[in-house]
Amino acid sequence: MEDENIALNSVLGLELNRVFFAVRETTNKQKIIEFAREVLESERTELPDSVSPDGPAR
């Protein structure tokens, strides 16, 4: 499962990078950056909930 998440995050990161460089307007690039930051922040707040009491899964 963790390998699938890593692969998905890699694909999403590459796609976000492609879209970012395809967009020409600075305002729209800023919106992409803000969206990516919001996603990262929401992921970080969910991480502590996903750790088991015995520690992270291996």
Side-chain angles (χ1 to χ4, degrees):
M1 182 70 171
E2 187 175 336
D3 290 338
E4 291 174 13
N5 287 339
I6 291 170
L8 180 60
N9 287 340
S10 295
V11 170
L12 290 174
L14 290 172
E15 187 64 16
L16 180 60
N17 193 38
R18 185 191 67 76
V19 169
F20 182 79
F21 285 104
V23 171
R24 297 195 185 277
E25 296 82 18
T26 303
T27 303
N28 290 335
K29 285 187 178 192
Q30 187 61 36
K31 289 179 184 178
I32 293 169
I33 292 168
E34 290 170 9
F35 173 75
R37 284 184 179 152
E38 289 174 12
V39 170
L40 285 173
E41 288 175 9
S42 70
E43 289 283 325
R44 287 183 184 143
T45 58
E46 291 175 10
L47 281 178
D49 297 337
S50 65
V51 176
S52 69
D54 298 327
R58 292 181 187 198

